[in-house]
Amino acid sequence: MKRPGITGKLFFAVLATATLVAVAVSAAAQWSFQRGFIGYLNAQAVLRMEAVMPRLAAAYAEHGSWDFLRHRPDSWFGLVGIGPAHPPVPPEPPDSPPAVRPSGPMADMIASDLLGAGRRLSLLDGERQRVVGFPFIMANSQQREIVIDGRSVGWLAMAPIETVTDAAALSFFDRQLAAGAAAVAGALLLAAAIAWWVARVLLAPVRSVAEATHRLAAGAYDTRVALRGQDEVAQLAQDFNQLALTLERNERMRRDFMAEVSHELRTPLAVLRGELEALEDGVHAPTPELLGRLQQQVATLAQLVGDLHELALADVGALSYRRQHLDLVPLVRGELDGLHAAAAERGLQLQALLPATPVTVSGDEGRLRQLLLNLLGNSLRYTDAGGTLRVELAQAETEVVLDVQDSAPAVPDELLPRLFERFFRVDASRARATGGSGLGLAIVRSIAEAHGGRVEARHSPLGGLWLRLVLPRLRRVGEGPAT
């Protein structure tokens, strides 16, 4: 059995919530109405009771006692207003508040003696002994004192309504129940419509993202989701598009990386294979020159594999760094001294601007030597013969800056950000001819970031490339501000 999706779940959740709320509100309203309805009837009965009080007082003043009502229910009912005829009601005092008179459907019911309000009246004498009327005096009965000339001559009691039994009242109550049921049914229909709208319309972008996620998981990295609105779902769609773009770029880089690695390995392996087959066939003699060429190809393979191993370890954070306080001045000078012979062979002029004071950083000496070798070797390898290579080391308040600038050729603007990508070369054929693997600057960036620094590429004033290495400076205790 197929389970309902998020649309069905949300529809049933909203509908169930609305149903429970509607039923609860309806039940509370019916209970409140029933209690309030009985209270309203009792309040109207008290008003009827107040209206009878002046007639009773006038009758007592006329007869001087209650004997004229004893055992004469017809006179009592006529006096309290039950029957076709009863004495007129004396006018109310001018300063008394106006009586509350019901209107609408309730008026007819109250006009018919308000559920027997007159029959629930009891007359008590001054000693609180029953004279006539309802035979039971209940604890919660409403009682009013009848006073004439400052003397209490009797009490009028009204038994409260506990339940509704009158046909007119029951009919009115049933109509209210039917109206409440109709309101609940209407509320449920409205809730169902809103739940359907929420499930279908509001979740449409979510379903779109879900479908795009399935396509992305299947390998369609070019999948994108249309952005609509500015809400959280739109933010989710934007994040999905960014994720898809990143995965697409990573997949493209992975394929390029595999192609570059296979190509880089294939070239020296092909040379080695050809030379070894020639030796086996007796075409070439094992001369020192031939063995030297084979050793060179093996060294190329070893360097490539070593560089790949370094980057793989850096990617997983497995490269070990033994930090210590290092002075970069002798470190840079030592690497430059090792390049003098290669620079002279190519007719390059080396310019070194190194400070006389120590420039201290916290780092791994071996890794920093590898960084400097790759950084300087890159400029030396790709600078045209007869050019200039300038190295300058300086320190600021919190940073150490190493600038390596060379002369032509220059790097196009759009290629500067890609110089630190693996296997990227501005001129692939020229780079292979000079022995570059395309991994040197990627290793430089990895080591710099591991030391809390960064490396940047920009155009050099000498006409070539300007590589800037920035590392955190290590201040000695008691040292003043840097100059």
Side-chain angles (χ1 to χ4, degrees):
M1 181 178 179
K2 185 179 180 180
R3 295 183 178 180
I6 187 173
T7 301
K9 291 179 180 179
L10 183 60
F11 173 79
F12 287 115
V14 175
L15 183 59
T17 302
T19 300
L20 291 176
V21 171
V23 171
V25 170
S26 176
Q30 294 297 339
W31 178 84
S32 177
F33 174 77
Q34 184 175 9
R35 300 295 299 176
F37 182 55
I38 293 177
Y40 173 77
L41 294 178
N42 283 322
Q44 294 299 321
V46 171
L47 293 178
R48 180 69 175 273
M49 179 181 176
E50 298 287 351
V52 172
M53 291 287 292
R55 292 201 293 268
L56 291 177
Y60 184 90
E62 180 182 352
H63 295 87
S65 69
W66 301 115
D67 293 338
F68 72 98
L69 293 177
R70 293 184 189 276
H71 310 296
R72 297 187 61 184
D74 54 339
S75 299
W76 165 251
F77 289 147
L79 186 62
V80 297
I82 301 177
H86 50 267
V89 179
E92 298 178 356
D95 57 347
S96 64
V100 178
R101 302 189 181 278
S103 59
M106 298 294 291
D108 298 335
M109 184 175 61
I110 294 174
S112 62
D113 193 30
L114 203 74
L115 298 179
R119 295 179 177 84
R120 291 183 287 108
L121 285 172
S122 300
L123 179 63
L124 310 178
D125 59 17
E127 302 298 328
R128 291 185 179 271
Q129 299 299 316
R130 176 178 172 275
V131 177
V132 70
F134 192 68
F136 304 105
I137 308 300
M138 303 173 68
N140 57 347
S141 295
Q142 294 285 337
Q143 297 187 17
R144 297 293 185 272
E145 186 178 14
I146 304 173
V147 180
I148 298 178
D149 297 332
R151 181 171 60 91
S152 177
V153 299
W155 297 80
L156 183 62
M158 170 71 76
I161 299 175
E162 298 292 342
T163 58
V164 178
T165 58
D166 183 78
L170 289 175
S171 176
F172 176 77
F173 189 70
D174 290 341
R175 288 197 298 271
Q176 295 302 312
L177 287 178
V184 171
L188 292 182
L189 291 176
L190 181 61
I194 294 176
W196 178 87
W197 180 81
V198 169
R200 298 296 300 177
V201 178
L202 293 186
L203 285 182
V206 178
R207 289 195 300 271
S208 178
V209 173
E211 294 171 358
T213 303
H214 291 309
R215 295 194 299 271
L216 184 66
Y221 299 114
D222 59 343
T223 302
R224 299 294 184 271
V225 179
L227 299 179
R228 293 189 294 267
Q230 300 291 331
D231 54 9
E232 290 81 357
V233 178
Q235 182 63 43
L236 175 63
Q238 183 176 357
D239 293 341
F240 173 86
N241 290 340
Q242 184 63 37
L243 172 63
L245 179 63
T246 302
L247 291 176
E248 183 180 19
R249 183 171 60 248
N250 290 343
E251 177 64 15
R252 184 172 59 252
M253 292 176 61
R254 184 188 69 83
R255 293 177 179 177
D256 294 343
F257 178 77
M258 295 301 296
E260 291 286 351
V261 169
S262 62
H263 183 80
E264 294 293 337
L265 293 174
R266 187 185 301 115
T267 301
L269 285 175
V271 174
L272 286 173
R273 181 178 179 180
E275 295 292 349
L276 290 175
E277 289 178 351
L279 285 174
E280 289 179 348
D281 296 339
V283 176
H284 292 163
T287 62
E289 292 79 8
L290 177 60
L291 294 178
R293 289 199 301 270
L294 294 178
Q295 287 286 357
Q296 183 180 2
Q297 296 300 324
V298 172
T300 301
L301 282 175
Q303 180 184 356
L304 177 60
V305 173
D307 290 344
L308 289 173
H309 182 64
E310 290 279 344
L311 290 175
L313 293 178
D315 288 341
V316 298
L319 275 181
S320 60
Y321 287 86
R322 296 182 178 180
R323 298 290 188 92
Q324 57 181 325
H325 295 182
L326 294 174
D327 183 4
L328 284 183
V329 175
L331 206 63
V332 174
R333 183 180 290 113
E335 294 302 322
L336 287 174
D337 291 341
L339 294 177
H340 274 297
E345 182 180 350
R346 301 195 58 198
L348 298 179
Q349 180 183 2
L350 282 180
Q351 298 178 357
L353 303 176
L354 304 180
T357 58
V359 177
T360 310
V361 297
S362 175
D364 185 297
E365 182 177 359
R367 298 297 180 187
L368 289 178
R369 285 187 182 276
Q370 183 182 10
L371 181 150
L372 292 173
L373 180 61
N374 288 345
L375 198 63
L376 298 173
N378 179 84
S379 295
L380 183 66
R381 185 181 301 115
Y382 298 120
T383 302
D384 291 341
T388 302
L389 176 60
R390 179 185 299 167
V391 179
E392 181 177 359
L393 179 64
Q395 59 183 343
E397 182 70 23
T398 59
E399 294 178 336
V400 172
V401 180
L402 176 67
D403 290 318
V404 179
Q405 303 182 46
D406 56 45
S407 55
V411 178
D413 292 341
E414 65 275 8
L415 298 183
L416 283 176
R418 300 191 58 192
L419 289 178
F420 302 99
E421 294 181 6
R422 300 172 186 184
F423 292 111
F424 176 79
R425 300 180 180 90
V426 178
D427 187 346
S429 60
R430 181 170 178 264
R432 290 191 179 94
T434 56
S437 66
L439 297 176
L441 291 183
I443 294 176
V444 167
R445 181 176 64 177
S446 176
I447 297 176
E449 292 176 350
H451 284 79
R454 65 185 186 275
V455 61
E456 304 168 351
R458 59 185 69 175
H459 292 293
S460 169
L462 301 178
L465 180 64
W466 180 356
L467 295 175
R468 164 166 284 188
L469 172 67
V470 180
L471 295 175
R473 181 191 175 200
L474 184 65
R475 298 279 302 279
R476 294 194 296 266
V477 178
E479 182 181 0
T483 59

